[in-house]
Amino acid sequence: MLTWPILTLSIVLILTSVVLAMFVLLHKGRGGGMSDLFGGGMSTSMGGSSAAERTLDRLTVVIGLVWLAAIFGLLVLYRFFPDFGTL
């Protein structure tokens, strides 16, 4: 049964999944692992992170936490409140 809280959290989950995937793909490869397969190991690092990279890191963490909260919210709604807010 579809309820408005489940529908809302499902939409939030879909949107944050797409945004999180984009943010992860925007990160610069650190070398080693899978990033070497696509040429990421060829670039040299200048040392520290730029302000844009730090901002991207923070946004990725925030979106990841929202994504995780949506998953736990759906878990709680499906498990304990399946009829709450029935459409």
Side-chain angles (χ1 to χ4, degrees):
M1 181 172 290
L2 191 63
T3 65
W4 68 266
I6 290 175
L7 180 64
T8 303
L9 279 179
S10 297
I11 291 170
V12 168
L13 182 64
I14 291 169
L15 292 176
T16 55
S17 296
V18 170
V19 172
L20 189 61
M22 289 183 348
F23 282 175
V24 167
L25 290 173
L26 283 174
H27 277 90
K28 185 171 71 169
R30 303 279 186 222
M34 292 297 286
S35 65
D36 281 341
L37 292 176
F38 303 107
M42 304 281 278
S43 63
T44 59
S45 177
M46 294 302 236
S49 299
S50 68
E53 290 174 7
R54 285 192 302 269
T55 302
L56 183 61
D57 289 342
R58 290 182 186 124
L59 285 173
T60 303
V61 169
V62 168
I63 294 296
L65 291 174
V66 172
W67 180 80
L68 196 61
I71 290 175
F72 283 126
L74 282 171
L75 174 73
V76 168
L77 285 173
Y78 273 120
R79 177 71 176 108
F80 299 111
F81 306 102
D83 295 328
F84 177 73
T86 303
L87 294 176

